[in-house]
Amino acid sequence: MCERFSLDFPEAILKNWYSVNSFPDLIPRHNIAPMSDILVIRETINGREATTMR
């Protein structure tokens, strides 16, 4: 069984929620399939970072 994701929140809201200053270029998507790159917020030694990962 595979699951689907969606990314439809505006970048400004995501920046506020996760306290991240910059994001990669995001395109709102409502049907993100497995094996697609998705937005990830991760903690690094320099603070939080937004990136895409598969």
Side-chain angles (χ1 to χ4, degrees), residues 1-30:
M1 173 182 269
C2 67
E3 298 290 329
R4 301 285 175 146
F5 300 94
S6 66
L7 176 63
D8 55 359
F9 284 101
E11 186 175 318
I13 290 175
L14 294 172
K15 285 180 179 180
N16 186 36
W17 281 351
Y18 296 109
S19 301
V20 176
N21 292 326
S22 64
F23 275 83
D25 290 334
L26 298 176
I27 299 169
R29 297 181 290 168
H30 301 285

Side-chain angles (χ1 to χ4, degrees), residues 31-46:
N31 190 19
I32 301 172
M35 300 301 294
S36 297
D37 289 346
I38 61 170
L39 178 67
V40 175
I41 309 294
R42 62 183 180 177
E43 192 73 37
T44 68
I45 58 175
N46 296 323

